[in-house]
Amino acid sequence: MGSPYLLSQVELKPGDLIEIFRSCYQHWAIYVGDGKVVHLAPPCEHPMDGVASVLAALSDRAYVKKDWLEDVVRKDRYRVNNKHDETHPPLPISKIVRRAEELVGREMPYNLTSHNCEHFVMELRYGVAMSDQVTEAIAMGTVGVMGVAAAVIRSMAQRRKHRKE
């Protein structure tokens, strides 16, 4: 495989999931052929928008767009990531691409935890809307909260111990 930033179009197949590594999140698109991808983009997913991820969190709508892969990727690293093929058989490629193309131009609900760009492409490829980013963030949040709780409890126990001495 070539550079981690650019894959040749020969390596990309219609229906492939493209994971794009933004500064603090991953944007997802689905390859539909001829150098183009379909993706769900909040109004703030623009090339020059450095606060896109913050503004996306505030948005409740997004648009299905068909763009050149290189325009969506910009200077970010990306890869093909059909990560659930083992557990969720992909739909037929013709159906994936047809469904993606039919949605182009539509406004859709957007929510970071239930209707984001990863949910969108997973539903196109597998027929199931899912987002590992959300699952991992929730798990990390839970671990973080548990860690803070453990630290507070430990601190309180140490204070009691010192008071008794």
Side-chain angles (χ1 to χ4, degrees):
M1 195 183 294
S3 159
Y5 296 95
L6 298 172
L7 298 168
S8 74
Q9 289 182 18
V10 175
E11 296 176 58
L12 297 171
K13 296 181 294 299
D16 277 344
L17 298 177
I18 310 296
E19 181 180 21
I20 304 161
F21 297 91
R22 300 288 195 234
S23 58
C24 58
Y25 68 103
Q26 286 81 40
H27 183 60
W28 289 83
I30 195 155
Y31 188 72
V32 293
D34 299 323
K36 299 247 178 148
V37 295
V38 170
H39 60 120
L40 185 65
C44 57
E45 179 69 27
H46 296 298
M48 301 310 291
D49 193 355
V51 293
S53 60
V54 174
L55 295 176
L58 304 175
S59 182
D60 64 351
R61 69 191 194 306
Y63 300 91
V64 180
K65 297 181 177 184
K66 181 177 179 180
D67 292 306
W68 293 103
L69 173 62
E70 63 190 41
D71 290 343
V72 176
V73 169
R74 304 187 304 249
K75 293 182 179 181
D76 294 323
R77 193 170 53 87
Y78 72 99
R79 67 178 177 171
V80 171
N81 190 353
N82 300 324
K83 60 185 176 179
H84 292 294
D85 282 8
E86 296 293 319
T87 55
H88 294 82
L91 298 170
I93 292 171
S94 59
K95 184 174 183 175
I96 294 169
V97 172
R98 185 181 73 249
R99 289 176 60 210
E101 297 274 3
E102 288 171 351
L103 292 171
V104 171
R106 295 222 359 227
E107 181 180 56
M108 301 188 76
Y110 185 85
N111 180 293
L112 280 177
T113 59
S114 62
H115 294 91
N116 67 34
C117 58
E118 187 176 6
H119 289 102
F120 175 74
V121 298
M122 295 295 168
E123 185 165 2
L124 285 171
R125 183 167 176 89
Y126 303 113
V128 179
M130 55 188 147
S131 173
D132 291 341
Q133 285 184 99
V134 170
T135 303
E136 290 166 9
I138 290 169
M140 292 300 287
T142 302
V143 169
V145 168
M146 290 170 43
V148 169
V152 168
I153 291 168
R154 193 170 35 252
S155 175
M156 290 171 60
Q158 287 176 342
R159 284 188 199 146
R160 282 193 198 132
K161 182 180 175 186
H162 288 302
R163 285 185 197 149
K164 290 180 181 178
E165 292 175 352

